[in-house]
Amino acid sequence: DGIMKDYSNGFLCKASEDDLEQTFKRIIDCPSDKLGLISTAAIETGKLFSEENVSKEYLRLYEAECLTAEELDDIRKKGLR
């Protein structure tokens, strides 16, 4: 399971013209109240991954001795791969 959930906090589609077209149709046909809920959920999901929240989580992992300073620096330089 990913961060984004289709029709919950966003709209997912495969990398094809047909799927993208179908997704646009789903958005257009989606009731405005449901679009509002999806939009709010998307914003809340984005807040979870703000720079401040991610930094706090890294600090928590460091303080719990789950990651060393060197490992955190490596993640900072290379990202999570």
Side-chain angles (χ1 to χ4, degrees):
D1 289 325
I3 295 166
M4 299 305 295
K5 307 275 190 239
D6 193 40
Y7 211 67
S8 177
N9 63 354
F11 292 90
L12 302 178
C13 71
K14 295 180 179 154
S16 73
E17 275 189 48
D18 289 340
D19 205 54
L20 184 58
E21 182 179 347
Q22 291 302 315
T23 300
F24 281 140
K25 286 180 182 178
R26 288 177 50 218
I27 294 168
I28 291 168
D29 294 339
C30 187
S32 60
D33 58 331
K34 179 63 177 173
L35 283 175
L37 292 173
I38 293 169
S39 176
T40 299
I43 291 167
E44 292 304 312
T45 300
K47 287 178 184 177
L48 292 174
F49 297 93
S50 69
E51 186 176 325
E52 180 181 354
N53 285 339
V54 171
S55 295
K56 285 179 184 178
E57 185 62 19
Y58 281 138
L59 180 60
R60 188 187 70 74
L61 290 169
Y62 174 75
E63 289 173 343
E65 298 181 0
C66 294
L67 294 173
T68 66
E70 293 79 17
E71 290 169 320
L72 286 171
D73 194 46
D74 196 44
I75 291 169
R76 180 187 62 80
K77 291 176 183 174
K78 297 178 184 175
L80 294 171
R81 296 180 194 179

